[in-house]
Amino acid sequence: MFIETIKLLFERDLNRLINEIEQYQNESDIWMINKNISNSAGNLCLHLMGNLHTYIGAIIGGTNYIRNRELEFSLKNIPRKNLLASIKATKAMVHQSLDKLTEAQLNAEYPILVLAEKTSTVFFLAHLTTHLSYHLGQINYHRRLLG
């Protein structure tokens, strides 16, 4: 039951992320920063994709994804269509990876230490949904500030 719920939450918020990126009137605004905004929506989007591909794709799903977190915040001006394609690919990966989880794995300790202390996989997946939601809110605010 939890796996289906968490999949629905990821699906909902990744669809919201698509909607946010699509709503930027000027594509260049996706990458805009100023003295009060240190991360652009584009970089937050890349960060979210890297985060999910690492902690769900590579660790749970067994993909060969290798994260370069520094690039998530330093790459600029990637076309909107590429960001949207990345989000859609991430949605598919999340579903495929979570479909592999058994109840025993879900309740077991998450395979690597990420937070300050060890957690269960179920706790860490809940954490990942709140991380996505947090940055989604930042992207929404960024877009509305520029609109």
Side-chain angles (χ1 to χ4, degrees):
M1 172 111 162
F2 178 82
I3 294 172
E4 291 307 313
T5 300
I6 210 83
K7 283 170 45 179
L8 287 172
L9 291 171
F10 280 120
E11 177 83 16
R12 178 197 70 187
D13 285 349
L14 289 169
N15 283 335
R16 287 179 175 169
L17 180 56
I18 289 169
N19 187 48
E20 288 295 333
I21 298 300
E22 287 176 338
Q23 284 189 64
Y24 277 84
Q25 296 293 319
N26 299 309
E27 188 169 341
S28 62
D29 287 351
I30 294 170
W31 300 98
M32 187 176 288
I33 58 171
N34 69 26
K35 63 182 178 182
N36 296 319
I37 302 172
S38 58
N39 292 315
S40 70
N43 289 115
L44 289 171
C45 183
L46 293 175
H47 171 62
L48 289 168
M49 299 310 97
N51 191 60
L52 294 174
H53 276 280
T54 298
Y55 297 123
I56 294 179
I59 302 299
I60 293 173
T63 67
N64 292 322
Y65 182 80
I66 296 176
R67 187 176 193 181
N68 187 336
R69 194 173 188 280
E70 291 177 12
L71 284 180
E72 295 168 14
F73 293 100
S74 63
L75 289 174
K76 304 291 180 208
N77 301 315
I78 295 169
R80 180 191 334 240
K81 67 180 181 179
N82 294 21
L83 290 175
L84 295 172
S86 178
I87 299 167
K88 291 172 185 172
T90 301
K91 277 182 13 179
M93 175 280 302
V94 165
H95 277 272
Q96 292 165 0
S97 296
L98 294 179
D99 282 343
K100 295 178 179 181
L101 267 180
T102 66
E103 286 295 321
Q105 291 169 315
L106 187 61
N107 294 310
E109 187 177 290
Y110 186 72
I112 63 171
L113 178 64
V114 181
L115 304 174
E117 55 190 54
K118 294 180 180 182
T119 66
S120 66
T121 299
V122 70
F123 179 91
F124 193 68
L125 287 172
H127 165 77
L128 290 175
T129 63
T130 61
H131 178 261
L132 172 58
S133 182
Y134 175 76
H135 287 309
L136 180 59
Q138 289 179 314
I139 292 168
N140 172 270
Y141 194 67
H142 180 267
R143 181 185 55 76
R144 290 183 295 118
L145 276 174
L146 298 176

